[in-house]
Amino acid sequence: MQSVDIVIQGAGIAGLALTKMLQKTTMSIMTLDQRHTLDAAGAGILLQENAILALSHLDIDIHQITHAATISHINLGSVQHPDAMRLSTSGNARGMPRAGLLHELHKQINDSDLYWGTSIKCWRQCSDKTIELELDNNRRVRCRWLIAADGIHSRLRQDMQGKATAFRSTGQYCWRMLVDDVEHNNEAYEIHAGALRFGMIPTDSRQAYIYLVNADIDGVLAATQNWQHIKKSLQQGGKLFSYLADKIDSSTNILFHPLVDAPVYMPMESSTILIGDAAHPMTPNLGQGAAIALEDAVILGYLLQSHSNNPSNDFHKLRAKRTNKLMQSSFAAGAIAHWQTSWIQQAKILGLQLTPRRILKHKQRLFTDEFSQQLTAIKRDYLL
Ligand SMILES: Cc1cc2nc3c(=O)[nH]c(=O)nc-3n(C[C@H](O)[C@H](O)[C@H](O)COP(=O)(O)OP(=O)(O)OC[C@H]3O[C@@H](n4cnc5c(N)ncnc54)[C@H](O)[C@@H]3O)c2cc1C
């Protein structure tokens, strides 16, 4: 039986980032993914300040990433007032294709620790706190830590919970796509129009990520929507989204998801640790899922190489409150986005117009400050 220090199931955003963190140490790692290559399907992603801070701990300089767009402002509004609230990012946000982020992470990693087309078939915790695994190629491995980074439908989480995860539905359905040949001025938009919500995030100099959310449709109907339906719905989003709708045709790759989340799950006193969407699947309404997956990888990477006696408990103590808060805020942001009574909508737009920019900026900084404080605490309490 082969022995390694750490097995990571999942080479997505969280798994690749953790692999990169641990490759800086002397620990032996095995990272498995059921996909046969880094085919990196997906649309776009918004990386805000905390994601960029996390990437800097992975030695990734956001300025060096070629296929990414600087987001100068994030605008929130209605069809009539698309920029009711115009928030400057001070240059600290990027949009990029999801594939671009995965390739950037992969580029930083020594391939010898990556095992594509491989999953865990079964595993058991031994009395000496190690874990014995059998892979689906019948290979047997023993490790000290098993990390679940296998995404929203994590098999390992289900094994641990002993039942299927109870997802919370938002009643909202989302379509996402990348479109080329777009003039975007480096500004991102989210437009609220009752049951519909329209988003656009620049991902390269002439490319944008578009999303459409419908809160007033049942799941069966949502799943049958084709590109013509999506194009027609986008045309209801005003001038900008009619312009973007013109870029869509039968060749556009449109991804469809129900928007759901699930309670944060981080077992303490265990040799198995969950990170990213495996631990806390959250709705995408705050654009924080990938950022939090990167944060988890950085924090856990430091804890596993520190003198912590119990990295699993310490990870739980540091992360559970923050991830739960973001998950609940993200869910609430989605619900508020679809308030449908017209006077409430008008009051919301007025509220957005009147909110002092300084307060919003401060709130945004709080997300990053909290992560910075966790990094400082780790250096102070575990690494010195
Ligand atoms: C509609 C939508 C829009 C989003 N927009 C944003 C955004 O703008 N900004 C943002 O920060 N986040 C966004 N997110 C969230 C973000 O995509 C996720 O939070 C992020 O991908 C989580 O990373 P992860 O590594 O935990 O999981 P994933 O990226 O899903 O990776 C999981 C990996 O595990 C592998 N795997 C799964 N099961 C197994 C198995 N049994 N064996 C081996 N391997 C396995 C998969 O192949 C995959 O490679 C969005 C999500 C959605 C649904």
Side-chain angles (χ1 to χ4, degrees):
M1 184 180 311
Q2 186 181 353
S3 273
V4 292
D5 294 313
I6 296 170
V7 171
I8 303 170
Q9 171 149 290
I13 294 171
L16 287 175
L18 182 62
T19 306
K20 160 76 180 156
M21 280 298 286
L22 296 174
Q23 281 186 343
K24 295 192 216 173
T25 71
T26 52
M27 281 180 268
S28 48
I29 314 148
M30 187 181 242
T31 300
L32 321 169
D33 201 289
Q34 64 188 4
R35 289 174 297 152
H36 288 271
T37 56
L38 187 79
D39 50 9
I45 220 144
L46 172 65
L47 297 180
Q48 301 182 72
E49 216 171 326
N50 54 333
I52 292 172
L53 176 60
L55 287 173
S56 73
H57 284 261
L58 299 168
D59 306 323
I60 297 177
D61 177 357
I62 198 82
H63 299 101
Q64 310 276 313
I65 301 182
T66 36
H67 296 293
T70 305
I71 310 291
S72 66
H73 291 87
I74 298 176
N75 298 284
L76 205 56
S78 62
V79 173
Q80 293 77 20
H81 304 283
D83 53 1
M85 190 183 85
R86 189 157 182 271
L87 190 61
S88 163
T89 66
S90 310
N92 289 323
R94 293 287 183 284
M96 65 181 72
R98 187 192 163 83
L101 176 59
L102 285 170
H103 282 289
E104 201 56 44
L105 290 167
H106 183 224
K107 218 164 75 184
Q108 310 285 328
I109 287 170
N110 180 347
D111 259 345
S112 60
D113 292 331
L114 296 178
Y115 296 77
W116 298 107
T118 311
S119 280
I120 296 169
K121 187 157 82 185
C122 53
W123 58 281
R124 72 177 184 97
Q125 173 95 51
C126 306
S127 53
D128 62 357
K129 289 194 171 170
T130 60
I131 292 184
E132 263 183 33
L133 314 162
E134 189 176 336
L135 306 183
D136 51 11
N137 54 14
N138 298 328
R139 194 165 160 181
R140 297 184 64 203
V141 182
R142 183 187 291 276
C143 62
R144 172 66 186 92
W145 296 105
L146 170 59
I147 313 295
D150 49 353
I152 185 166
H153 299 293
S154 169
R155 264 268 315 276
L156 290 175
R157 181 182 62 223
Q158 300 205 16
D159 288 353
M160 281 183 259
Q161 289 181 318
K163 57 178 185 194
T165 302
F167 288 106
R168 170 170 63 164
S169 169
T170 59
Q172 299 159 12
Y173 297 89
C174 177
W175 293 265
R176 303 184 291 152
M177 65 221 86
L178 287 169
V179 288
D180 290 317
D181 199 21
V182 173
E183 287 194 25
H184 52 56
N185 224 9
N186 291 90
E187 303 215 6
Y189 283 85
E190 184 166 287
I191 306 279
H192 298 175
L196 294 178
R197 180 158 38 121
F198 308 89
M200 191 275 277
I201 296 167
T203 46
D204 204 343
S205 56
R206 302 276 300 170
Q207 189 190 57
Y209 156 45
I210 310 176
Y211 57 89
L212 167 74
V213 179
N214 193 334
D216 194 18
I217 190 168
D218 68 57
V220 178
L221 195 57
T224 62
Q225 302 285 282
N226 60 22
W227 70 271
Q228 285 113 326
H229 289 114
I230 306 307
K231 190 176 173 103
K232 221 165 148 190
S233 298
L234 283 170
Q235 283 159 349
Q236 297 174 51
K239 219 167 124 188
L240 171 62
F241 287 91
S242 295
Y243 161 72
L244 294 168
D246 285 345
K247 313 273 175 198
I248 293 170
D249 59 29
S250 58
S251 68
T252 310
N253 184 20
I254 302 179
L255 304 175
F256 165 68
H257 299 270
L259 297 188
V260 297
D261 69 10
V264 173
Y265 184 66
M266 291 185 185
M268 298 168 86
E269 302 294 343
S270 161
S271 302
T272 314
I273 304 176
L274 291 92
I275 61 173
D277 278 7
H280 39 69
M282 61 177 76
T283 60
N285 302 313
L286 293 180
Q288 276 290 320
I292 296 299
L294 290 168
E295 282 190 17
D296 280 354
V298 169
I299 298 276
L300 182 60
Y302 281 132
L303 282 173
L304 287 170
Q305 58 190 283
S306 74
H307 54 71
S308 160
N309 292 327
N310 196 335
S312 169
N313 270 12
D314 292 334
F315 182 72
H316 178 274
K317 274 194 270 169
L318 275 168
R319 300 299 292 164
K321 198 168 155 201
R322 173 164 172 73
T323 46
N324 190 45
K325 187 167 72 182
L326 280 164
M327 198 186 79
Q328 300 302 347
S329 307
S330 194
F331 189 92
I336 292 168
H338 294 283
W339 281 345
Q340 287 187 44
T341 314
S342 89
W343 72 266
I344 295 184
Q345 280 192 47
Q346 281 168 20
K348 188 176 75 180
I349 296 303
L350 189 66
L352 289 176
Q353 285 168 326
L354 295 178
T355 310
R357 302 293 180 265
R358 274 202 321 278
I359 293 179
L360 290 163
K361 199 79 201 114
H362 180 65
K363 190 168 176 243
Q364 199 180 15
R365 279 213 67 83
L366 260 187
F367 284 161
T368 308
D369 289 352
E370 207 171 74
F371 176 44
S372 297
Q373 283 157 11
Q374 295 195 343
L375 290 166
T376 309
I378 283 187
K379 282 193 187 141
R380 186 193 57 223
D381 299 341
Y382 302 104
L383 289 176
L384 292 179

